[in-house]
Amino acid sequence: MSQDDELCPCGSGKLYEECCKKEYDRTNAAREKIKQAMSDPKKASELKELLKNLKKED
């Protein structure tokens, strides 16, 4: 989303900045942290193991 003063794409009728922007920013920050961790072989292995264990619990 390029303009914070545009209507939110979620369809709420609110401005993007007042609706979903904070969640979108948090999601992007988490995605970047995961990308950085995946570039470290040890951390990547730990993340893969964690995800594998989560799938077993479902």
Side-chain angles (χ1 to χ4, degrees), residues 23-55:
E23 185 62 31
Y24 182 80
D25 290 346
R26 280 192 296 263
T27 301
N28 279 339
R31 184 177 290 122
E32 286 303 313
K33 287 180 182 181
I34 290 171
K35 280 183 186 179
Q36 290 174 359
M38 291 302 286
S39 67
D40 179 333
K42 183 178 179 189
K43 288 182 181 179
S45 176
E46 291 172 359
L47 283 170
K48 288 176 185 176
E49 187 65 28
L50 175 65
L51 290 172
K52 190 168 93 176
N53 289 336
L54 286 174
K55 287 181 183 178

